[in-house]
Amino acid sequence: MLRLFETYLEGCPQLALQLYILLEHEQANFSQYAAIMVSCCAISWSTVDYQIALRKSLPDKNLLTGPCPKLIYLFYKLFTLLSWMLSIVLLLFLNIKIALFLLLFLWVLGILWAFKEDTQFCASQGMELLYRIVVGFILVFTFFNIKGQNTKCPMSCYYIVRVLATLGVLIVFWFYPLSIFNSDYFIPISVTIALTLLLGIIFLLIYYGTLHPNRSEETKMDEIDGKPVQSDCRMKYFLME
């Protein structure tokens, strides 16, 4: 969890700056592209690493094992992250205030969702509040399971909003008269955003449709011989890892 926090808090602003510099100069060398891809991979892998550790810590979850599911999950995170970061940078070129307002709005929504989930990761209320604020920041850039519970509906809503927001940014740039980019330069950018988003959604569907470890059936223990796992204390298993 701490590695996830560190990677997103440091890596996402750095990646946005790299993309902004790249698009501003309309020219780039191989090292710049390589640095951006390394940053995207590092940020995406931190989410994969968190997913592996989370499933290990929950007794009623199957483990995420094998290279194929991990790679598919990595590609899903990588492509959706790259598409969204490019969209944010384009919006920064259009209007910094609008871009910051959108990010702040999404941050608040993420914090509210963390409160709705009633996370219990920290021992004190103050640290739990800080934890939910950081969770909200990460949710601005990617979706991740914060309690090990079924998140099919929230994740679906999250990526529907992500697709609509990305399309909205592209539509604004296509129909609003801007002199920031010439058409020969903007067309590859918009194609990259749309293509990476599409690939990310495809890998998401592949992972959750065929490769996601199915939740093991909960066995009903005898009331005398055993005690059921307490569902309200899931995160304590995560802390023990």
Side-chain angles (χ1 to χ4, degrees):
M1 179 67 78
L2 293 179
R3 286 198 299 268
L4 182 73
F5 286 177
E6 180 183 8
T7 304
Y8 272 87
L9 291 174
E10 294 182 2
C12 286
Q14 179 182 357
L15 179 59
L17 180 60
Q18 289 174 318
L19 290 171
Y20 189 92
I21 295 173
L22 175 67
L23 299 182
E24 184 180 30
H25 291 85
E26 301 187 9
Q27 293 180 355
N29 51 41
F30 175 78
S31 61
Q32 288 177 295
Y33 286 113
I36 290 173
M37 289 308 301
V38 169
S39 297
C40 285
C41 289
I43 296 172
S44 302
W45 179 253
S46 68
T47 316
V48 179
D49 191 36
Y50 166 80
Q51 181 74 2
I52 296 172
L54 178 64
R55 299 192 72 86
K56 285 182 180 179
S57 66
L58 299 177
D60 61 338
K61 293 287 187 179
N62 293 329
L63 300 181
L64 180 60
T65 58
C68 188
K70 294 176 183 178
L71 284 176
I72 296 297
Y73 193 84
L74 175 64
F75 289 146
Y76 139 56
K77 289 296 182 181
L78 174 64
F79 287 124
T80 53
L81 175 67
L82 182 58
S83 174
W84 183 235
M85 294 300 294
L86 282 171
S87 302
I88 292 175
V89 172
L90 285 183
L91 198 58
L92 287 172
F93 279 106
L94 175 64
N95 191 301
I96 295 179
K97 293 182 179 179
I98 293 178
L100 294 179
F101 175 79
L102 175 63
L103 295 177
L104 181 60
F105 176 72
L106 295 176
W107 191 358
V108 171
L109 288 182
I111 295 173
L112 291 178
W113 187 67
F115 272 95
K116 178 182 177 299
E117 289 295 294
D118 191 24
T119 59
Q120 298 177 8
F121 187 77
C122 302
S124 63
Q125 293 184 351
M127 293 302 298
E128 188 67 31
L129 175 61
L130 179 61
Y131 166 76
R132 293 174 182 179
I133 291 174
V134 178
V135 165
F137 178 84
I138 297 176
L139 289 172
V140 173
F141 302 98
T142 192
F143 184 87
F144 75 108
N145 197 330
I146 60 177
K147 291 190 69 175
Q149 297 177 344
N150 187 359
T151 56
K152 181 179 179 180
C153 182
M155 184 172 62
S156 300
C157 295
Y158 180 90
Y159 282 105
I160 289 174
V161 173
R162 171 70 64 83
V163 170
L164 293 177
T166 303
L167 291 177
V169 173
L170 293 178
I171 289 173
V172 168
F173 267 84
W174 273 108
F175 292 98
Y176 192 82
L178 293 172
S179 58
I180 300 175
F181 305 115
N182 57 59
S183 59
D184 295 335
Y185 187 66
F186 177 66
I187 290 176
I189 297 174
S190 58
V191 170
T192 301
I193 292 175
L195 184 60
T196 51
L197 179 59
L198 178 61
L199 289 173
I201 297 298
I202 290 174
F203 280 114
L204 183 153
L205 295 176
I206 293 174
Y207 173 77
Y208 284 100
T210 60
L211 299 174
H212 184 59
N214 294 327
R215 182 172 180 172
S216 59
E217 295 183 359
E218 296 182 359
T219 57
K220 295 183 179 180
M221 298 183 179
D222 185 83
E223 293 183 358
I224 299 177
D225 296 334
K227 296 181 180 180
V229 176
Q230 297 180 7
S231 60
D232 59 341
C233 297
R234 292 172 176 267
M235 295 312 294
K236 75 176 183 180
Y237 297 101
F238 185 75
L239 291 171
M240 292 178 183
E241 290 294 318

